[in-house]
Amino acid sequence: RAKAEGRANVQIFAPRMEREVMRRRDVELDLQRALAEGELTIYYQPQFAVDGEVVIGFEALVRWVQPSRGVIAPGEFISIAEQTGLITELDMWVLRNACAQARDWGELKLAVNLSPVDFRSGDLDMQVKRILDETGFPAERLEIEITENLLFGNQPEAFASLAALRRMGIRIALDDFGSGYSSLGYIRRFRVDTINIDRSFTQNIGQSDDAAAIIDCVVRLARALAITVTAEGVETREQLRYLQSVGCHHVQGYLLAGPVPLASIDRYLERATFPSPPPKRSRVTI
Ligand code: C2E
Ligand code: MG
Ligand code: MG
Ligand code: MG
């Protein structure tokens, strides 16, 4: 009995870090298998015009469907995938499948999240190009969401890949804007197409005058630079009304719609407008 207890103690006193490393290793192996066996799936969260009615696109959000546990959100596995390098395979899987699934959704935008780790490879733009070619998805409808961390890292190869993606016609969105080391310098240095205001600001509308003032200011700045603003995490009518009043372009959040599986996408496609292309204006030179 003493022997058994002794062993139990070893378990208890095993250094925390070691156990953490083992847990990560388990998740990593499991995730690798999940990728191979098709346990990953993509949910789509609609994004709306600021009226909250018209659907303008979808953000692809990965999910892990574990037979024993059900649907697992990315918070539980993305950072482990980033630390083990599996993230790029995962992100390219999401990109390929989302492009294939969204190809026939009219002119709607598809937003896909990429990790800063993906940009270390140096040939990310070629990987993305191959996926667009294979799926036939038009570059102009794709928006890649990156976080400030990528720009903060200051990797030259990241800037080169971003520039190459933009040259292909892909839009770049700065995600979770305001949550990290936000700097106006990034926006100046690397011209993004869209800023996604972090939900921590949106959710403080009505609670904090500062949050409201910051949003107002970011929208003005973005508009002056011809950048589109999407507010994330809109949960109340009051937040939506405020975002309308300051001229925010797009909104996303549980008030309007949460992420849905592919099977539920039709009802949102019906709410999309497909504007006819603007009439071609002949250029008159005097
Ligand atoms: P994100 O890109 O900022 O995506 C928005 C997250 O906020 C999603 O969480 C979404 O479900 C959640 N959300 C949307 N509306 C609301 C709201 O009104 N209130 C609240 N409280 N939350 C809202 P999700 O799907 O759990 O994803 C979490 C994060 O994981 C994402 O944040 C993104 O950074 C990352 N992620 C998701 N899919 C991928 C992927 O394929 N690749 C990579 N690299 N990262 C991904
Ligand atoms: Mg995102
Ligand atoms: Mg987002
Ligand atoms: Mg975000």
Side-chain angles (χ1 to χ4, degrees), residues 24-25 28 31 79-87:
R24 279 175 192 284
R25 182 78 192 135
E28 183 196 355
L31 189 55
S79 82
I80 292 177
E82 285 178 328
Q83 286 161 38
T84 61
L86 200 57
I87 188 70

Side-chain angles (χ1 to χ4, degrees), residues 3-281:
K3 221 176 178 180
E5 261 171 22
R7 217 176 298 142
N9 284 344
V10 171
Q11 270 297 115
I12 290 163
F13 293 114
R16 229 204 179 139
M17 287 222 325
E18 200 169 302
R19 264 181 290 148
E20 181 56 22
V21 166
M22 278 158 54
R23 192 185 70 86
R24 279 175 192 284
R25 182 78 192 135
D26 283 351
V27 175
E28 183 196 355
L29 288 174
D30 213 19
L31 189 55
Q32 211 149 25
R33 188 196 46 75
L35 251 170
E37 292 179 10
E39 277 181 21
L40 297 186
T41 188
I42 304 171
Y43 277 39
Y44 294 94
Q45 185 173 28
Q47 296 182 338
F48 296 81
V50 77
D51 66 359
E53 300 290 337
V54 173
V55 172
I56 58 101
F58 295 89
E59 178 176 8
L61 295 160
V62 70
R63 296 288 182 267
W64 183 355
V65 185
Q66 290 184 350
S68 56
R69 294 175 62 202
V71 179
I72 314 293
E76 285 197 38
F77 57 91
I78 288 288
S79 82
I80 292 177
E82 285 178 328
Q83 286 161 38
T84 61
L86 200 57
I87 188 70
T88 303
E89 199 182 327
L90 185 155
D91 282 346
M92 293 305 111
W93 182 91
V94 171
L95 182 66
R96 179 175 294 107
N97 285 278
C99 283
Q101 292 174 349
R103 192 184 43 211
D104 300 324
W105 300 351
E107 297 297 305
L108 291 180
K109 155 176 120 180
L110 170 69
V112 175
N113 295 280
L114 293 187
S115 159
V117 175
D118 301 335
F119 286 83
R120 283 187 207 148
S121 73
D123 73 337
L124 180 67
D125 49 304
M126 293 318 295
Q127 296 188 55
V128 172
K129 174 144 184 15
R130 195 175 323 124
I131 288 172
L132 292 179
D133 289 346
E134 282 168 13
T135 57
F137 193 86
E140 294 67 31
R141 285 177 52 208
L142 181 62
E143 186 165 86
I144 284 181
E145 298 196 0
I146 57 164
T147 60
E148 297 156 340
N149 296 341
L150 174 70
L151 307 179
F152 187 67
N154 238 332
Q155 322 163 33
E157 66 276 20
F159 283 100
S161 290
L162 274 176
L165 292 171
R166 284 200 86 206
R167 279 196 302 273
M168 287 161 56
I170 295 168
R171 277 171 292 174
I172 307 294
L174 197 49
D175 209 6
D176 305 340
F177 186 77
S179 65
Y181 301 94
S182 299
S183 152
L184 298 180
Y186 297 146
I187 301 175
R188 201 176 64 92
R189 179 153 169 218
F190 194 82
R191 207 43 198 282
V192 298
D193 303 279
T194 303
I195 289 173
N196 294 344
I197 295 182
D198 190 63
R199 68 165 182 262
S200 59
F201 289 99
T202 309
Q203 293 182 351
N204 272 311
I205 294 170
Q207 322 282 324
S208 144
D209 290 345
D210 289 351
I214 289 167
I215 291 175
D216 185 14
C217 182
V218 169
V219 173
R220 281 169 202 267
L221 171 81
R223 282 188 166 270
L225 298 172
I227 292 171
T228 303
V229 185
T230 303
E232 301 191 291
V234 180
E235 292 184 359
T236 70
R237 293 250 151 238
E238 182 190 16
Q239 290 161 5
L240 182 62
R241 270 197 304 273
Y242 180 76
L243 293 162
Q244 288 165 346
S245 76
V246 298
C248 182
H249 301 91
H250 299 154
V251 287
Q252 177 179 4
Y254 295 161
L255 173 69
L256 307 157
V260 298
L262 182 64
S264 309
I265 215 85
D266 282 356
R267 78 178 92 130
Y268 295 106
L269 291 178
E270 282 163 14
R271 291 174 59 185
T273 49
F274 300 117
S276 46
K280 281 215 179 84
R281 232 185 290 165

